[in-house]
């Protein structure tokens, strides 16, 4: 379809020619048109595209013409061109398929919108919020009270240990599992152990922690030969009694005969006949006098080989202890000091000079012993 000549757009001028012409001719000055000619100053579309008259081309001043942008008119195809054109298929616009919201999204939306909650859901949400708040408060309380809780835990542990100890003591004191069933006697030589066990048989059946010590002392004090004793509990059912017997040192003469005494003067045995192997102690001032104590100490310091040869020991004071052998030989001892050393010196002298060859051994000064 051909446009009318008045609407045809002139051909684009050569850019190089335009730059050359613009350089040759001065730039025309634009003049402001008055308001009354403003309406007639806008040329029509046909006048803008119309060429100037041939007579004025030589003397007219060329001004650049700014062409308005013309809207592009759609080309209406003719019947022939429409027939030849390829008809594009019409694509029908499909509406996007709406997805059904998930249960979680629906629950979240209902949670964020309190007005959309049902009464049961609102109560459940309130309970959850209350539970969370209480959990947070408990955590804060624990954070600020850990020292006091640690002290309380320490005291509880100590109290539990004390309570367990008390319970153990109570159970051990009154439980029949700890009842005494066996009495073991140790250290007796001259005293039959059966007699000691029979004397303490009243304690059988008593729990070990509450065995009566005073009663044991009363029962053992009836035995003259017992100097001291000690008891030891061996759980669960045994009591051990350790006895130290008195050691006899000599004989004391009495109206009825002789008494076998120890170093403390306690009579261990009495009889009309003299007990062999023990000397007669002659204490002028009695048993409680220091002379008797010195004589007993000297007898205990002698070795068994010399003690069995003694006939008598005389001590008026602590410094004049004199021993007499069975053969009549005398031993001048002096005081009880350094008795162990004097006993060693006397034993050596009696080996070198046996009794019978010497009438007297003087060990008052053991470093310079004298034989007579």
């Amino acid at each position: 379809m051909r446009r009318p000549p008045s609407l045809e757009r002139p051909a684009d001028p050569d850019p190089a020619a335009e730059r050359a012409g613009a350089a040759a001719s001065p730039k025309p000055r634009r003049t402001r048109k008055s308001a009354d000619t403003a309406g007639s100053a806008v040329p029509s579309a046909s006048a803008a595209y119309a060429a100037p008259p041939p007579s004025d081309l030589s003397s007219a001043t060329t001004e650049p013409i700014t062409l308005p942008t013309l809207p592009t008119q759609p080309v209406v195809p003719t019947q022939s061109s429409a027939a030849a054109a390829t008809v594009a298929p019409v694509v029908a616009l499909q509406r996007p398929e709406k997805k059904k919201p998930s249960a979680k999204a629906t629950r979240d939306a209902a949670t964020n919108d309190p007005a959309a909650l049902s009464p049961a859901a609102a109560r459940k949400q309130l309970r959850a919020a209350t539970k969370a708040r209480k959990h947070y408060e408990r955590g804060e309380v624990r954070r600020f009270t850990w020292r006091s809780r640690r002290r309380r835990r320490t005291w509880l542990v100590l109290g539990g240990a004390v309570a367990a100890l008390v319970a153990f003591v109570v159970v051990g004191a009154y439980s029949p599992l700890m009842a005494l069933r066996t009495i073991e006697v140790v250290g007796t030589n001259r005293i039959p152990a059966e007699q000691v066990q029979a004397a303490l048989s009243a304690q059988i059946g008593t729990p070990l922690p509450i065995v009566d010590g005073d009663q044991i002392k009363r029962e053992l004090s009836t035995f003259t030969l017992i100097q001291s004793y000690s008891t030891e509990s061996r759980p669960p059912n045994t009591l051990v009694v350790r006895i130290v017997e008195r050691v006899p040192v000599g004989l004391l003469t009495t109206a009825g005969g002789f008494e076998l005494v120890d170093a403390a003067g306690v009579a261990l045995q009495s009889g009309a006949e003299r007990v062999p192997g023990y000397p007669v102690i002659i204490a002028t001032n009695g048993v409680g006098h220091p002379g008797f104590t010195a004589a007993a100490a000297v007898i205990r310091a002698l070795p068994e080989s010399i003690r069995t040869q003694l006939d008598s020991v005389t001590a008026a004071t602590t410094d004049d202890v004199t021993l007499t052998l069975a053969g009549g030989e005398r031993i001048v001892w002096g005081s009880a000091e350094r008795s162990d050393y004097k006993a060693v010196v006397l034993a050596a002298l009696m080996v070198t000079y046996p009794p019978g060859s010497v009438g007297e051994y003087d060990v008052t000064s053991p470093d310079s012993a004298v034989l007579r």
Side-chain angles (χ1 to χ4, degrees):
M1 181 175 180
R2 191 176 180 80
R3 294 183 180 180
S6 59
L7 297 178
E8 288 184 0
R9 185 176 181 178
D12 294 336
D14 190 1
E18 285 185 357
R19 285 195 298 272
S25 61
K27 186 176 182 179
R29 298 177 62 185
R30 295 184 181 182
T31 58
R32 182 178 297 178
K33 298 181 180 181
S34 58
D36 54 355
T37 60
S40 61
V42 180
S44 62
S46 58
Y49 288 93
S55 57
D56 298 333
L57 290 174
S58 59
S59 60
T61 302
T62 305
E63 294 184 3
I65 300 174
T66 302
L67 299 177
T69 304
L70 299 177
T72 305
Q73 297 181 359
V75 179
V76 180
T78 58
Q79 184 177 3
S80 59
S81 61
T86 302
V87 180
V90 179
V91 179
L93 297 178
Q94 298 180 356
R95 300 179 64 182
E97 182 181 358
K98 293 184 179 180
K99 295 183 179 180
K100 185 177 180 182
S102 62
K104 183 178 183 303
T106 304
R107 185 169 61 254
D108 294 342
T111 303
N112 296 330
D113 187 8
L117 293 175
S118 62
R123 288 192 296 269
K124 183 177 180 181
Q125 185 176 359
L126 178 60
R127 287 194 298 269
T130 304
K131 183 178 179 180
R133 179 176 60 83
K134 291 182 178 179
H135 181 72
Y136 174 77
E137 290 176 352
R138 285 196 296 267
E140 290 298 307
V141 170
R142 285 194 298 269
R143 186 164 66 92
F144 285 101
T145 59
W146 67 273
R147 281 191 173 87
S148 61
R149 287 186 287 108
R150 185 177 64 180
R151 287 194 298 268
R152 184 168 58 251
R153 188 163 50 247
T154 303
W155 283 110
L156 287 177
V157 171
L158 292 177
V162 172
L165 180 61
V166 171
F168 176 78
V169 171
V170 171
V171 170
Y174 298 100
S175 174
L177 298 176
M178 301 287 290
L180 177 62
R181 293 187 176 88
T182 304
I183 298 176
E184 183 178 349
V185 180
V186 179
T188 57
N189 185 18
R190 303 179 63 185
I191 305 173
E194 294 77 9
Q195 294 183 6
V196 178
Q197 292 174 349
L200 301 178
S201 61
Q203 301 292 329
I204 298 296
T206 305
L208 283 178
I210 57 174
V211 170
D212 192 353
D214 294 337
Q215 185 176 357
I216 293 177
K217 182 178 181 179
R218 288 193 298 270
E219 296 294 340
L220 294 182
S221 62
T222 59
F223 293 88
T224 308
L225 292 178
I226 296 178
Q227 180 178 351
S228 62
Y229 73 94
S230 62
T231 59
E232 176 186 352
S233 298
R234 290 182 181 176
N237 311 111
T238 303
L239 178 66
V240 179
V241 182
R242 302 183 184 277
I243 293 176
V244 177
E245 292 183 344
R246 296 182 182 275
V247 179
V249 293
L251 298 169
L252 294 177
T253 57
T254 61
F258 298 91
E259 284 185 352
L260 184 65
V261 296
D262 65 348
V266 177
L268 306 180
Q269 184 179 346
S270 299
E273 297 181 0
R274 179 176 177 175
V275 179
Y278 294 99
V280 176
I281 300 174
I282 303 172
T284 310
N285 298 319
V287 176
H289 194 268
F292 175 83
T293 305
V298 170
I299 294 172
R300 296 189 64 177
L302 292 173
E304 184 71 20
S305 59
I306 299 177
R307 187 188 310 124
T308 56
Q309 298 181 40
L310 292 177
D311 180 66
S312 63
V313 179
T314 305
T317 63
T318 58
D319 297 328
D320 62 346
V321 179
T322 302
L323 291 76
T324 303
L325 297 178
E329 295 83 2
R330 296 177 68 249
I331 301 172
V332 181
W333 196 271
S335 67
E337 295 178 358
R338 304 177 68 185
S339 292
D340 295 334
Y341 183 46
K342 291 178 181 181
V344 173
V345 172
L346 177 62
L349 289 175
M350 293 181 68
V351 170
T352 306
Y353 305 97
S357 60
V358 177
E360 184 178 286
Y361 301 90
D362 190 349
V363 291
T364 305
S365 180
D367 294 329
S368 57
V370 178
L371 300 175
R372 296 184 181 91

